[in-house]
Amino acid sequence: MESLLTTVSLSLMDVGMPVQAPLVLLAVLLLLRGAWSIRMSLRTTLLLYGFSILMILISAALHSSGWTGGAGSTRNIGVLLMGLALIRLTGQAVFHLLLPRLNITPPRILEDVLVFIAYLLWGFIRLSQIGLDLSSIVTTSAVITGVLAFSLQETIGNILGGVTLQMDDSIRVGDWIQVGELVGRIVDIRWRSTAVETRNWETVIFPNSLLTKREFSILGRRTGEPIQWRRWIWFSVGLDTSPRRVTRVIEEALRKANVRHVASRPAPDCITMDINDSVVRYAVRYWLTDLAVDDPTDSAIRSRVYAALKRAGIRLALPGQQLHIVSEDEHQEARQRLQNIEQRVALLRGVGLFRSLDEDELQKLAGNLLYTPFVADDVVTAQGATAHWLYILVDGAVEVVLDSGSGRRRTLARLEAGHRDSYFGEMGLLTGAPRTASVIAVTDVECYRLSRDGFEEVLTARPAIAEEISTIIAERRADLAVAQNQLDEAAHEAMSKTEQREILQRIRRFFSLKG
């Protein structure tokens, strides 16, 4: 037993284990900490290294048992494998630990080439050390290489293609490419092939020779410019609306919208693409900054196009060959219109601002309401804008935001559909005052919009409404001041009266009412 331990110790010392083991352990720990992405490859290296040590231990046991022939062969295999493992570990340490810290990112295939050459050199050295004639090995290898080169022409073409693709920097890991109809992101460039991951969670393997022989597109890359890719969203509108108005409505809506993953420069635009007998065809062009989310971002843009057209009263159209004529009974249409009016009247009854209006007045206002949808993050009204509209929330939530002018925003209130105070813009409707704050959609929002002209008909028929509404607005403002601790209860009544008189005068001036 003592002789076996002595033989094992001498064998391990002969291959340099006292020096190797601490260095290998240190390299492994550093790689696990700084290059976690290669942990599977590192595991294979450690298994190879452990197997080589096992072979050396077996050779020591065989030598101690007197089987010197088998011991020598086993030890030679163990030393050969140990050298291969150390070469592989050195390559991993250099290319995945040292060079990245020096901000050097060489092509992945360079590591493979250099490590493979080191493998060959180490193999020739070991064969020479065990007594084989190196010149005969080289001659034999040349013959074998010629035979292999002839039989593996396609494989060699793929390998050379991989070297070419990486060395000339035509594609890189992380690039989005389109080959035929397939679009995906390059995740690895190997000896024989290039791996591309699609948005459908598929990994497609392209032979490198294919990429060097045929045309493919690198998406979103332009010299000296950030990574972004132009997308096209198509829609059609009838001939009854001028193209200039359509493009203006869409561009204004997209300019105000803060759509995620859409570049601000170049800004999204809308262009007229075609005019035929039945429709005008348009395209929205925008630049996508994250190529992995093309469909979701397209969907967000389409939602904003639809909402903007709906707010502007512009109808989307189908191509002429897809139009369907549906005849409806006149009584059915009348019932539908009546039902819509009744729903709007019920909505108006729930708005505190109109609590003093009678049934006929509510009916008139309901007929002047315009359905106005918005998409989450849309700016419903902008601070400082002059717009004589009142908005009534039907569904969703908005935030009232104050811009301090230094780029900072402060949220003043959150309004949700279903409450008596779920309306905003009353001062713009009644006095023509510019917006004192911005209102931004928190969720997708459905509103009804009441314009100055739509309210004027009711107000001029009964001017006393102005006094009633001014009282409601003044009370609302005074209640808010008390809630924000800007006013005590004693001053509430005084503020209400002062505010009511001032608002009433402004309403009368704006609508040219006598009083």
Side-chain angles (χ1 to χ4, degrees):
M1 184 66 180
E2 185 176 349
S3 62
L4 175 61
L5 292 176
T6 302
T7 304
V8 169
S9 299
L10 291 174
S11 298
L12 294 177
M13 292 181 64
D14 187 44
V15 295
M17 281 300 296
V19 177
Q20 275 185 37
L23 292 177
V24 168
L25 179 61
L26 178 62
V28 169
L29 292 176
L30 290 175
L31 283 168
L32 286 175
R33 182 178 178 183
W36 185 248
S37 60
I38 64 164
R39 61 189 183 280
M40 295 303 296
S41 177
L42 186 62
R43 178 184 176 184
T44 303
T45 304
L46 289 177
L47 288 175
L48 182 63
Y49 186 71
F51 185 70
S52 69
I53 294 175
L54 178 63
M55 295 295 289
I56 291 173
L57 293 177
I58 291 174
S59 72
L62 292 175
H63 187 275
S64 179
S65 302
W67 193 12
T68 56
S73 300
T74 305
R75 185 179 185 281
N76 287 331
I77 294 173
V79 172
L80 177 64
L81 295 178
M82 180 175 288
L84 297 178
L86 292 175
I87 290 171
R88 184 181 176 91
L89 184 62
T90 302
Q92 291 170 332
V94 170
F95 283 90
H96 296 279
L97 196 63
L98 178 61
L99 293 182
R101 295 200 174 187
L102 298 175
N103 293 323
I104 300 173
T105 308
R108 165 72 184 274
I109 205 167
L110 181 61
E111 175 189 355
D112 296 336
V113 169
L114 293 180
V115 170
F116 181 72
I117 292 174
Y119 284 165
L120 288 179
L121 292 176
W122 174 243
F124 281 130
I125 290 171
R126 287 304 302 162
L127 291 175
S128 177
Q129 287 177 348
I130 63 177
L132 293 178
D133 185 6
L134 194 59
S135 60
S136 63
I137 294 173
V138 172
T139 303
T140 305
S141 299
V143 175
I144 295 173
T145 300
V147 174
L148 290 176
F150 181 77
S151 59
L152 300 175
Q153 294 181 57
E154 185 174 349
T155 301
I156 294 173
N158 289 328
I159 293 173
L160 294 177
V163 174
T164 302
L165 289 172
Q166 291 219 29
M167 291 304 179
D168 67 5
D169 201 30
S170 56
I171 58 174
R172 311 163 192 158
V173 171
D175 281 347
W176 284 84
I177 66 170
Q178 180 170 1
V179 184
E181 296 297 320
L182 186 138
V183 175
R185 183 172 61 91
I186 296 174
V187 293
D188 197 9
I189 303 175
R190 305 166 185 162
W191 282 78
R192 188 188 65 83
S193 60
T194 295
V196 175
E197 290 181 349
T198 71
R199 299 183 184 94
N200 296 328
W201 285 54
E202 301 165 339
T203 300
V204 181
I205 307 300
F206 287 103
N208 288 328
S209 60
L210 175 68
L211 296 179
T212 57
K213 291 178 181 177
R214 68 173 294 178
E215 177 183 312
F216 61 88
S217 300
I218 302 175
L219 306 180
R221 190 202 288 184
R222 188 173 184 177
T223 304
E225 299 291 340
I227 300 298
Q228 52 193 35
W229 182 29
R230 189 167 74 175
R231 302 284 295 168
W232 296 71
I233 305 297
W234 300 87
F235 65 98
S236 298
V237 171
L239 295 172
D240 55 339
T241 307
S242 71
R244 185 175 181 180
R245 180 170 180 241
V246 173
T247 56
R248 185 180 71 249
V249 165
I250 297 301
E251 288 182 354
E252 286 180 359
L254 294 179
R255 186 167 60 248
K256 293 178 182 177
N258 182 23
V259 185
R260 197 178 178 192
H261 307 307
V262 174
S264 57
R265 294 180 179 272
D269 60 6
C270 179
I271 57 176
T272 306
M273 296 299 296
D274 189 23
I275 300 177
N276 57 36
D277 293 336
S278 58
V279 298
V280 182
R281 198 171 190 221
Y282 300 88
V284 170
R285 303 181 301 181
Y286 77 92
W287 279 256
L288 181 67
T289 58
D290 185 350
L291 277 62
V293 289
D294 57 341
D295 289 340
T297 311
D298 285 355
S299 178
I301 294 293
R302 290 189 185 99
S303 297
R304 280 162 173 79
V305 169
Y306 174 82
L309 294 175
K310 199 76 174 176
R311 292 194 297 270
I314 301 172
R315 290 188 177 184
L316 287 167
L318 293 173
Q321 62 269 24
Q322 294 183 10
L323 289 177
H324 301 279
I325 299 175
V326 179
S327 60
E328 291 187 318
D329 183 78
E330 292 183 0
H331 295 292
Q332 183 180 352
E333 289 185 359
R335 285 195 300 271
Q336 185 66 43
R337 285 196 299 269
L338 180 60
Q339 183 179 1
N340 290 337
I341 292 295
E342 289 176 350
Q343 290 174 349
R344 296 182 186 187
V345 168
L347 175 66
L348 291 171
R349 286 198 195 101
V351 176
L353 187 65
F354 302 126
R355 69 191 182 198
S356 64
L357 272 62
D358 61 31
E359 191 68 20
D360 289 339
E361 291 166 342
L362 290 175
Q363 289 275 350
K364 289 180 181 178
L365 282 189
N368 291 324
L369 292 179
L370 177 66
Y371 176 69
T372 313
F374 292 90
V375 180
D377 298 325
D378 271 352
V379 177
V380 182
T381 64
Q383 182 176 333
T386 301
H388 308 149
W389 297 323
L390 169 76
Y391 290 93
I392 304 171
L393 274 176
V394 180
D395 188 37
V398 298
E399 284 185 345
V400 183
V401 176
L402 183 66
D403 190 347
S404 63
S406 59
R408 294 184 178 180
R409 285 184 168 183
R410 182 163 60 95
T411 301
L412 302 179
R414 179 186 174 102
L415 305 178
E416 296 187 4
H419 300 281
R420 290 186 67 83
D421 290 335
S422 57
Y423 61 90
F424 51 92
E426 65 273 15
M427 294 304 291
L429 170 72
L430 298 171
T431 69
R435 305 296 191 189
T436 56
S438 296
V439 179
I440 299 175
V442 178
T443 64
D444 288 354
V445 165
E446 293 184 17
C447 300
Y448 279 112
R449 188 175 74 195
L450 177 62
S451 68
R452 177 185 185 275
D453 294 337
F455 184 67
E456 187 173 19
E457 179 184 357
V458 174
L459 185 60
T460 53
R462 186 164 71 92
I465 294 175
E467 187 170 351
E468 297 167 355
I469 287 182
S470 63
T471 302
I472 295 170
I473 295 175
E475 288 177 354
R476 187 186 187 193
R477 288 191 165 194
D479 291 343
L480 180 62
V482 170
Q484 294 178 344
N485 296 320
Q486 298 175 358
L487 202 67
D488 57 26
E489 292 291 346
H492 179 278
E493 185 176 352
M495 177 184 174
S496 295
K497 291 181 178 179
T498 304
E499 285 275 344
Q500 190 271 337
R501 286 194 298 268
E502 180 182 342
I503 293 171
L504 178 58
Q505 291 174 1
R506 293 172 66 183
I507 293 174
R508 285 171 174 169
R509 283 197 302 267
F510 188 55
F511 287 94
S512 301
L513 300 176
K514 294 179 181 181

